[in-house]
Amino acid sequence: MATLLYNNRPARAFNSVLSEMLRDTLPALNEPVKTFVPQADVLEGPAGFELHLLLPGVAKEDVKIDFQDSQLTISGERKAPESTDEQTPKFRRVESGYGSFSRSFRLPDTVEVTAIEAELTNGILRLQLPFDSKKVTKHQIEVR
């Protein structure tokens, strides 16, 4: 197979060439995105479920957890660093998301809603969702 030359250089990977062609046509990502969707892991053990939500840089005061009609909703805001003067560094490349977020999970009737515990440590929100046969339709969970 013949080698394709471009400006006397061997051919580069297609995505590299495409990125170079589109660089000037796409908007620059030098400002934070206004919303993001935190990643979630759900584990099941003998005592109940455990939900992990990745929330790096989010303060526990900025997280709200509600339960209503079998729906657990976790919402909040990850605040972007603000540059107020000339000495503060400005964004040159942004790959992480900032702004408001909301994730909802439908819980089975076997979860005891009044016993749900939430803890935010090192950017990971951990919720313990213990099993029970009681059914609760509305409850707010406080983050420790």
Side-chain angles (χ1 to χ4, degrees):
M1 177 183 262
T3 304
L4 177 65
L5 296 176
Y6 176 73
N7 289 341
N8 295 327
R9 294 181 291 187
R12 290 175 280 169
F14 177 74
N15 60 353
S16 175
V17 173
L18 184 62
S19 294
E20 188 175 307
M21 287 175 25
L22 295 176
R23 184 178 352 166
D24 296 331
T25 61
L26 295 175
L29 295 177
N30 57 2
E31 285 195 24
V33 179
K34 302 297 183 207
T35 62
F36 79 104
V37 179
Q39 297 172 332
D41 297 326
V42 179
L43 300 90
E44 183 176 359
F49 296 104
E50 190 170 326
L51 174 64
H52 297 177
L53 212 63
L54 301 180
L55 300 174
V58 177
K60 68 179 181 178
E61 298 81 28
D62 296 329
V63 177
K64 182 180 177 187
I65 306 170
D66 287 312
F67 176 81
Q68 185 170 358
D69 298 327
S70 300
Q71 189 90 357
L72 181 72
T73 302
I74 303 164
S75 59
E77 182 178 11
R78 180 177 178 198
K79 296 179 178 139
E82 294 182 18
S83 58
T84 56
D85 58 18
E86 296 297 319
Q87 301 296 337
T88 306
K90 294 181 176 34
F91 284 106
R92 292 294 181 208
R93 181 180 180 101
V94 180
E95 293 186 353
S96 56
Y98 295 92
S100 61
F101 65 88
S102 181
R103 291 290 308 261
S104 295
F105 303 90
R106 182 155 304 280
L107 299 183
D109 292 339
T110 57
V111 172
E112 183 180 347
V113 178
T114 57
I116 293 176
E117 294 182 5
E119 182 177 9
L120 182 61
T121 308
N122 297 329
I124 300 175
L125 179 65
R126 290 179 176 85
L127 286 100
Q128 300 290 330
L129 310 165
F131 290 137
D132 189 43
S133 60
K134 296 189 297 185
K135 183 178 178 187
V136 177
T137 58
K138 186 173 182 176
H139 183 71
Q140 184 171 352
I141 297 94
E142 182 177 318
V143 178
R144 290 189 274 154

